Amino acid sequence: MKGYFLILLTSLIALALAAERYPVKYDDVDVERILQNNRVLTNYIRCMLDEGPCTAEGRELRKTLPDALSTGCTKCNDKQKTVAEKVIGHLKAKRSKDWERLIAKYDPHGEYKKRYERS
């Protein structure tokens, strides 16, 4: 009986921890390919700014982004953190006007921007 209870408790803890993470179903999206294709990247940016239609990935990102910003991406796995840093760096270097527009929408008071200025 104790063994059964221990297995049940371990399973519940594992489920609780998994619930505190973002979905991994889009972790294998080729972000580098998106960043190198201006048309596709523009579509994602327009989605994030509510200026155009979204793909399923774009909708998920738009839904998740405010929480990820407010929590410092604590629910992100390592791959998601790496991709976020890559995207931020690319936008800041190559699409600075779009980066500023995204900041204006998702961080109008500059609360989170300081975290990413090192990126």
Side-chain angles (χ1 to χ4, degrees), residues 14-80:
L15 285 173
L17 290 174
E20 293 178 11
R21 295 286 187 184
Y22 296 126
V24 297
K25 64 182 172 183
Y26 297 116
D27 281 7
D28 293 325
V29 169
D30 188 352
V31 173
E32 191 62 42
R33 189 170 165 191
I34 292 169
L35 294 176
Q36 299 308 316
N37 185 322
N38 279 327
R39 182 185 58 77
V40 173
L41 181 56
T42 296
N43 287 340
Y44 274 99
I45 291 168
R46 292 184 73 222
C47 164
M48 298 303 297
L49 294 170
D50 297 317
E51 295 175 353
C54 296
T55 62
E57 296 94 346
R59 281 190 298 278
E60 184 73 30
L61 179 59
R62 189 173 61 189
K63 180 179 94 176
T64 305
L65 185 60
D67 184 66
L69 287 171
S70 69
T71 63
C73 214
T74 57
K75 297 177 188 176
C76 297
N77 63 35
D78 289 340
K79 183 170 186 174
Q80 291 165 342

